[in-house]
Amino acid sequence: MSLAVPGLEKKKHENPYNYTEAQLADKDLALRKLKDYYPTVPTYYAELVYDMCVNTEKEKLEEIMKKIDSEPSKYVIPEVLVSNKMECIDAKDSLEYKQ
C-alpha cells in the first residue's frame, strides 16, 4: 500500500556518478565499514573519499597522495582528518582509574 500524494513526489537519492543498484549497495557497505574503522569521520567526508577513489584513475590517486605528503595544505584541515593514529593508554593514566 502506498500513500502517494498527488503533486508531492518522493525525494530520490542523489546519484551524480550514475551508480547502478549493485554499486550503490557496495558503496553503502564500504561506508558502513569506514564508519566502524573511523567513527569520528563525518559521513560527508567518507562519501567524498569513496567517490574520489572509485571514480579516479589509480595513477591520479597516487599523484594526489604524493602531493599531500610533500606540500602543506593552504586550507585549515579539521583535526579529525589529520590524525588517524591509535594511542595506547596505560590503565593507570585513564580517567576511569583516577576516579
Side-chain angles (χ1 to χ4, degrees):
M1 181 175 155
S2 175
L3 298 175
V5 177
L8 295 176
E9 310 307 330
K10 192 174 188 180
K11 183 177 179 187
K12 295 186 178 187
H13 186 281
E14 293 180 21
N15 190 2
Y17 294 105
N18 295 321
Y19 292 132
T20 64
E21 289 298 319
Q23 290 170 324
L24 285 172
D26 287 342
K27 179 179 179 178
D28 187 49
L29 180 62
L31 290 174
R32 287 185 196 177
K33 286 183 180 180
L34 283 170
K35 198 63 164 170
D36 289 342
Y37 293 134
Y38 307 103
T40 58
V41 174
T43 304
Y44 174 76
Y45 291 121
E47 286 184 2
L48 284 176
V49 170
Y50 178 87
D51 289 335
M52 184 178 74
C53 291
V54 168
N55 296 300
T56 306
E57 296 173 5
K58 186 177 179 181
E59 294 81 20
K60 182 69 174 171
L61 285 175
E62 289 173 359
E63 181 183 317
I64 292 169
M65 288 187 274
K66 286 179 186 174
K67 183 178 177 185
I68 289 171
D69 288 339
S70 63
E71 297 179 19
S73 175
K74 62 181 179 180
Y75 302 104
V76 176
I77 301 174
E79 184 63 30
V80 69
L81 299 177
V82 173
S83 175
N84 60 2
K85 294 184 255 180
M86 295 185 67
E87 298 179 31
C88 294
I89 300 173
D90 192 353
K92 292 183 281 183
D93 296 333
S94 74
L95 294 174
E96 293 176 6
Y97 183 79
K98 291 180 181 179
Q99 294 176 354

